[in-house]
Amino acid sequence: MDVGNSINPAIDIGQIEGGFAQGLGLFTLEETVVSPKGFMFSRGPGTYKIPSFSDIPMEFNVALLRSAPNDKAVYSSKAIGEPPLFLASSVFFAIKDAITAARADAGVTGVFRLDSPATVERIRMACPDQLTRQVPPVDVKAPSWSVRP
C-alpha cells in the first residue's frame, strides 16, 4: 500500500489491517434494522454485528510501497485510513461473483440486486432454490423495514 515515507511501518500496517476489517464489516456484516415506525431493532452486539477476530483472514499479507514520498506532507507521509477500508469492497464483489456462479449452476441467469451489506440472509435469498422460492416476493407497497427516522 502506498503510504509515502512511512514514519512507523508497524503502525501503518496495523492501520491498514484495521481499515480493511472495518470495511469488511461495512460491506458484509453491519446492518441497521429500523421498523416502519422508527424503532431501532439493531441496538447492540446481539443484533448489530461487527467484525470479530474470527471474521478476519488467518493470513493477511500487507506490503508497503517503498520510495513513493508525498513532498507536501509531514515527513513525506500519506494518509492510510480510507484506501484499505474501501479495499474491503473486493470481498463484497467476490461474494457477488460467487452468487452469480451459484445462480448459473441453478439455471438462473440475468442481473440480480445485492445490496450492501451482503449479509448471510441476503446471500441466501440471492441463491434461488426450492426453499427460497417458497418466500413470497417483497411487496413494494408495504412499509419498509429499513426506514431511517
Side-chain angles (χ1 to χ4, degrees):
M1 176 145 300
D2 183 0
V3 297
N5 290 340
S6 179
I7 297 170
N8 186 328
I11 289 177
D12 289 342
I13 288 171
Q15 288 292 104
I16 292 165
E17 291 170 340
F20 185 87
Q22 185 178 3
L24 179 70
L26 174 69
F27 291 113
T28 64
L29 297 169
E30 300 177 29
E31 179 180 32
T32 55
V33 179
V34 181
S35 78
K37 294 185 179 185
F39 181 79
M40 174 92 52
F41 282 100
S42 47
R43 301 189 311 172
T47 56
Y48 184 80
K49 303 298 180 198
I50 60 173
S52 68
F53 68 89
S54 63
D55 297 312
I56 307 306
M58 299 257 319
E59 184 175 332
F60 197 130
N61 300 317
V62 176
L64 302 180
L65 181 65
R66 297 180 191 269
S67 301
N70 178 5
D71 297 330
K72 297 184 175 34
V74 177
Y75 296 108
S76 296
S77 64
K78 295 181 182 176
I80 58 171
E82 292 80 8
L85 181 131
F86 195 73
L87 179 61
S89 68
S90 62
V91 175
F92 175 83
F93 292 110
I95 290 169
K96 190 161 185 181
D97 283 348
I99 293 169
T100 301
R103 291 168 65 91
D105 288 348
V108 179
T109 59
V111 178
F112 67 97
R113 180 176 173 169
L114 180 66
D115 293 332
S116 178
T119 60
V120 173
E121 298 85 0
R122 287 182 177 154
I123 293 168
R124 180 66 182 100
M125 292 307 294
C127 299
D129 61 12
Q130 64 183 16
L131 184 63
T132 59
R133 288 185 185 102
Q134 294 178 30
V135 178
V138 175
D139 180 6
V140 293
K141 295 178 184 168
S144 172
W145 274 88
S146 253
V147 174
R148 302 288 183 249

